[in-house]
Amino acid sequence: MLPQLKKVVPYLKEFHVTPYLSVRPGPGLREAVELCLATSYFSDHEWKQEALSIGRTLLESLSKVKTQSNELLAQRFKFRELRYSMLRTAAPIFGGAQDLQIPEPNCAGANAWSANLVLLQAHDYMKLNLFESASHKLAQYSPVFGSTLERFQGAKVDAARGVICRYHGLFRKSHEILSKLETPNSTTLAHLFAVECELGEYDKVLAKTSAWLQLCPRPQSKAASRIRLAAINAELVGGLALMASGDPWPGWREVCSMYEDLWSCSQLSWFDRLATLIGIAMAQHVDGEISAVDNAWKEVYSACRECQLSGFTEKVVDWSLCELEMRQGQHIVEEASKRLKGLSDSVRREYIFTGLGTIWLTVLRRLVLKHGFEPE
């Protein structure tokens, strides 16, 4: 149906359509807004933006008639716009997300929809590293009527709890939550695979991702790209584990090529693109040319700035560049001591990107020690 809808929906922009839909019997403005809302979940970003733009124009006319159903539709539409904005950018949408009011649970449908708002607001807190606030927000949802839709939404809330545990570094607890979810989507699976990598089960992840990709009917889809990234991350963590134990890792070039091949995929989200850049930098750092490694880490740094992810990730970039300078004999001991401060601190870490706050720091510390330097 989508190809036909793409031809029909743009006609809703015509100036005479809104008045016509407002007065004719049968489907009218409300149904047209619902159509734009539904179709905005499909196809590419250009289509999503057009569908939302048309729907917003129609909604402005519909909102002139104050009814409870119209107000609820307006909230649902605002939620969709904020959700789409969140997926497109790393910047928090804090004000808009928190302004939406969670409706009173006067029926199963309204209560189930409230889970969407809870999740949106919790994810906004997560972007600010306010994980306790995110957990508190998730606790506001409960399937009070016991409907199937409420239980389905409850599974999404449980998945978000598992993600928070992962970002806290509570990998076993995260695994306990995520592994119990029935019919998880590709996003939840990607988090589960990341946790299993952190627990040293990268071989298991490679087997699972291989089976998933073989059965995937659309190998170029966003879901497939997400699982491909999880598989490459498993290859990376397995190789870094070899280095952490003192063994060589000859397969780094192949893994680097996998990341570079994935980079060309247009379906990658901003988060997956940044994770891919980080993977390239870590793989290149193993034994790549100095200039290539330097450029890779600097690309990560630029991407972090663009995504407003300053802090721990930028520290790891600086630590990695410092080791690179040691490799070239360009470092000054006093300066290196200041830059590497915190490398051995296992408390103040973040675990957003697979391996970056765990196995990579073990490898990096080992590389620094080879230069005769003991990081604090």
Side-chain angles (χ1 to χ4, degrees):
M1 289 291 292
L2 192 58
Q4 290 85 351
L5 286 173
K6 283 187 172 183
K7 293 180 180 178
V8 173
V9 169
Y11 284 111
L12 296 174
K13 292 187 292 186
E14 300 293 335
F15 73 93
H16 61 276
V17 170
T18 300
Y20 177 72
L21 289 173
S22 302
V23 298
R24 69 181 298 276
L29 270 179
R30 181 179 178 81
E31 288 73 18
V33 174
E34 291 277 12
L35 177 65
C36 292
L37 188 61
T39 57
S40 74
Y41 285 89
F42 301 96
S43 194
D44 55 23
H45 290 301
E46 184 179 355
W47 168 252
K48 288 179 170 70
Q49 289 167 356
E50 182 172 15
L52 288 172
S53 175
I54 295 170
R56 169 54 61 189
T57 301
L58 297 173
L59 185 62
E60 288 172 1
S61 297
L62 182 65
S63 297
K64 293 175 183 177
V65 180
K66 302 297 182 183
T67 66
Q68 188 176 2
S69 60
N70 285 352
E71 288 176 6
L72 182 59
L73 178 58
Q75 276 219 335
R76 288 173 51 217
F77 201 93
K78 180 63 175 176
F79 163 79
R80 172 57 185 152
E81 290 177 318
L82 289 171
R83 174 67 177 165
Y84 179 65
S85 175
M86 186 185 77
L87 294 174
R88 289 282 283 167
T89 176
I93 51 174
F94 199 74
Q98 307 306 322
D99 287 344
L100 286 174
Q101 297 298 311
I102 297 174
E104 290 293 325
N106 54 11
C107 68
N111 189 50
W113 184 75
S114 73
N116 290 330
L117 291 183
V118 165
L119 288 165
L120 184 74
Q121 291 166 349
H123 280 295
D124 223 31
Y125 280 125
M126 279 190 251
K127 283 188 175 183
L128 297 166
N129 287 339
L130 299 173
F131 298 124
E132 289 186 10
S133 297
S135 296
H136 178 72
K137 181 62 66 174
L138 294 176
Q140 294 181 13
Y141 177 75
S142 175
V144 292
F145 295 94
S147 68
T148 301
L149 181 57
E150 284 176 294
R151 290 196 297 272
F152 177 78
Q153 294 289 74
K156 291 183 181 179
V157 173
D158 287 340
R161 288 195 182 99
V163 173
I164 290 173
C165 288
R166 176 200 165 189
Y167 289 167
H168 263 310
L170 304 172
F171 300 127
R172 294 204 177 277
K173 186 176 180 181
S174 177
H175 187 270
E176 182 182 347
I177 296 171
L178 297 175
S179 62
K180 289 180 180 177
L181 296 174
E182 298 179 6
T183 60
N185 60 21
S186 62
T187 301
T188 301
L189 282 175
H191 283 294
L192 176 60
F193 294 153
V195 167
E196 289 178 338
C197 282
E198 301 287 14
L199 292 172
E201 299 177 349
Y202 30 83
D203 288 334
K204 183 190 291 187
V205 173
L206 288 171
K208 288 181 179 179
T209 52
S210 176
W212 192 97
L213 290 167
Q214 286 178 10
L215 296 173
C216 179
R218 296 194 301 141
Q220 300 302 318
S221 65
K222 185 181 292 184
S225 300
R226 195 174 287 128
I227 300 302
R228 277 180 64 197
L229 176 59
I232 303 169
N233 284 342
E235 294 275 10
L236 174 73
V237 173
L240 293 177
L242 287 175
M243 295 184 65
S245 62
D247 296 321
W249 178 33
W252 68 269
R253 285 188 181 85
E254 184 181 352
V255 170
C256 193
S257 296
M258 291 178 186
Y259 279 121
E260 289 170 346
D261 182 55
L262 182 63
W263 179 259
S264 63
C265 177
S266 62
Q267 294 290 344
L268 289 179
S269 66
W270 68 265
F271 182 87
D272 290 341
R273 286 204 174 276
L274 182 50
T276 301
L277 284 176
I278 290 171
I280 291 172
M282 286 192 283
Q284 280 276 10
H285 200 109
V286 174
D287 199 23
E289 293 183 4
I290 296 294
S291 59
V293 181
D294 183 72
N295 288 335
W297 282 116
K298 285 178 179 176
E299 281 193 46
V300 173
Y301 184 85
S302 297
C304 285
R305 284 288 166 142
E306 186 178 337
C307 295
Q308 301 180 32
L309 287 177
S310 59
F312 180 77
T313 305
E314 287 186 351
K315 275 188 179 179
V316 177
V317 172
D318 191 50
W319 291 337
S320 303
L321 289 172
C322 187
E323 192 282 325
L324 199 63
E325 291 170 14
M326 286 180 166
R327 201 183 297 183
Q328 301 172 83
Q330 296 178 355
H331 70 288
I332 300 172
V333 175
E334 292 79 8
E335 182 186 341
S337 180
K338 291 179 181 178
R339 289 175 65 184
L340 292 172
K341 188 174 183 179
L343 176 57
S344 298
D345 187 349
S346 61
V347 178
R348 297 179 181 84
R349 293 188 179 184
E350 293 178 7
Y351 306 95
I352 297 174
F353 299 101
T354 307
L356 189 70
T358 50
I359 191 68
W360 174 245
L361 298 188
T362 302
V363 170
L364 194 57
R365 187 173 185 278
R366 190 181 185 90
L367 293 173
V368 169
L369 286 170
K370 282 186 176 180
H371 300 299
F373 192 88
E374 178 71 46
E376 295 182 22

